[in-house]
């Protein structure tokens, strides 16, 4: 029983990171109805931004860790705005296939661009928050896991407040519901879309730092597998639903760690795609998603 609870704690920590990444996918889809496949590489850029910011912050302190986290989020927010402005905005009225190809091309550009700038050699991520191991009876929790859970909950709460308690959040919801009607009542579509990319990218940057803290080796291709799993989590919970993305990520993180701690640990990466197939067969709209009819 204690081993099961230990794996659940590990799964909660991993699922919280997937949630930060999955929310970016689902927000962009909710507003523009396409999948930003370069989002996983924004996550990777966040880890590199945190790596270099850590050189100028007090190592192993709470304020130093928060400064590194804030720097990575700011860098990724700026990157998200640039991506939207120069890669996606010119294609906003183009066929969806064109946007998909652009997203894949942008993903490769970020991966190989970072490799060209910083090299392909994996780098050890520094300890930016205080390090300790806490014992709760038979359960062991690292300070990094606590930081991941607390920071993720704080960011998810902040996102919930922005979306449902601010004017920009109301504009995001209006654009998600009907972009044309939103423009007719005076909402600036470009501002809302840019803000959505900035917000989603900032969360991905935070996820990149938190992931690198727990799996302390970063490289230009580190975002590929977490990005795929976060995308699966968004689909699992219901693409376009913020609570669904968080729920799907927690389910996926828990399932992955439970399988990883069993005799079938070599199949832990396959669990994400197995869950996706099962959900698509039983509930195509996802756990919290709604089936909608689209005009073609």
């Amino acid at each position: 029983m204690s081993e099961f609870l230990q794996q659940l704690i590990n799964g909660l920590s991993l699922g919280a990171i997937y949630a930060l990444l999955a929310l970016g996918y689902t927000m962009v889809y909710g507003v523009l109805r396409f999948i930003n496949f370069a989002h996983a590489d924004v996550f990777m850029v966040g880890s590199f931004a945190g790596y270099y910011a850590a050189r100028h912050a007090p190592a192993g302190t709470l304020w130093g860790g928060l400064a590194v986290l804030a720097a990575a989020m700011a860098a990724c927010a700026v990157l998200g705005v640039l991506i939207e402005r120069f890669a996606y905005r010119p294609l906003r009225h183009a066929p969806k296939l064109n946007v998909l190809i652009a997203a894949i091309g942008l993903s490769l550009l970020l991966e190989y661009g970072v490799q060209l700038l910083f090299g392909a050699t994996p780098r050890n991520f520094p300890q930016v928050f205080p390090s300790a191991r806490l014992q709760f009876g038979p359960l062991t929790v690292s300070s990094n896991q606590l930081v991941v859970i607390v920071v993720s909950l704080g960011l998810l709460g902040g996102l919930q407040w922005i979306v449902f308690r601010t004017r920009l959040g109301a504009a995001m919801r209006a654009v998600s519901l009907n972009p044309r009607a939103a423009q007719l009542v005076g909402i600036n579509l470009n501002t809302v879309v840019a803000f959505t990319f900035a917000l989603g990218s900032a969360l991905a940057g935070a996820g990149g730092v938190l992931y690198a803290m727990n799996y302390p080796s970063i490289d230009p291709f580190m975002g590929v597998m977490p990005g795929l799993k976060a995308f699966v989590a968004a689909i699992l919970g219901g693409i376009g639903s913020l609570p669904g993305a968080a729920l799907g990520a927690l389910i996926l993180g828990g399932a992955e760690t439970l399988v990883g701690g069993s005799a079938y640990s070599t199949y832990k990466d396959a669990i994400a795609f197995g869950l996706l197939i099962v959900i698509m067969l039983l509930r195509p709209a996802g756990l919290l998603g709604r089936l909608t009819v689209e005009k073609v």
Side-chain angles (χ1 to χ4, degrees), residues 8-9 27 33-34 76 91 97 99 132 139 142 144 150 160-161 167 193 216 223 226-227 232 239 248 254 269 277 280:
L8 280 183
I9 293 173
M27 281 194 295
R33 294 296 186 270
F34 78 86
C76 288
L91 299 174
L97 181 60
V99 182
L139 303 180
S142 72
N144 281 350
V150 171
Q160 189 81 355
W161 179 80
R167 295 187 65 181
V193 172
V232 169
I239 191 71
D269 286 336
I277 292 171
M280 289 296 96

Side-chain angles (χ1 to χ4, degrees), residues 1 3 11 39 44 56 71 74 103 117 119 124 136-138 140 146 153 168 182-183 189 192 248 263 267 291:
M1 185 63 180
E3 183 178 349
H39 190 62
M44 174 270 294
H56 306 285
L117 288 174
N124 292 325
F136 300 97
T140 302
L146 285 179
L153 287 175
L168 266 175
Q183 287 180 285
L189 183 61
V192 171
Y267 299 103
L291 287 172

Side-chain angles (χ1 to χ4, degrees), residues 174-211:
V175 170
S176 176
L177 186 64
N178 192 321
R180 185 171 297 177
Q183 287 180 285
L184 290 175
V185 297
I187 293 175
N188 188 318
L189 183 61
N190 289 334
T191 300
V192 171
V193 172
F195 179 74
T196 301
F197 269 85
L199 194 57
S201 298
L203 293 177
V209 172
L210 297 176
Y211 185 86

Side-chain angles (χ1 to χ4, degrees), residues 66-89:
L66 292 175
V68 168
L69 197 66
M73 292 177 69
C76 288
V78 172
L79 177 60
V81 172
L82 293 175
I83 286 172
E84 188 278 327
R85 177 62 184 86
F86 296 105
Y88 293 138
R89 190 178 298 181

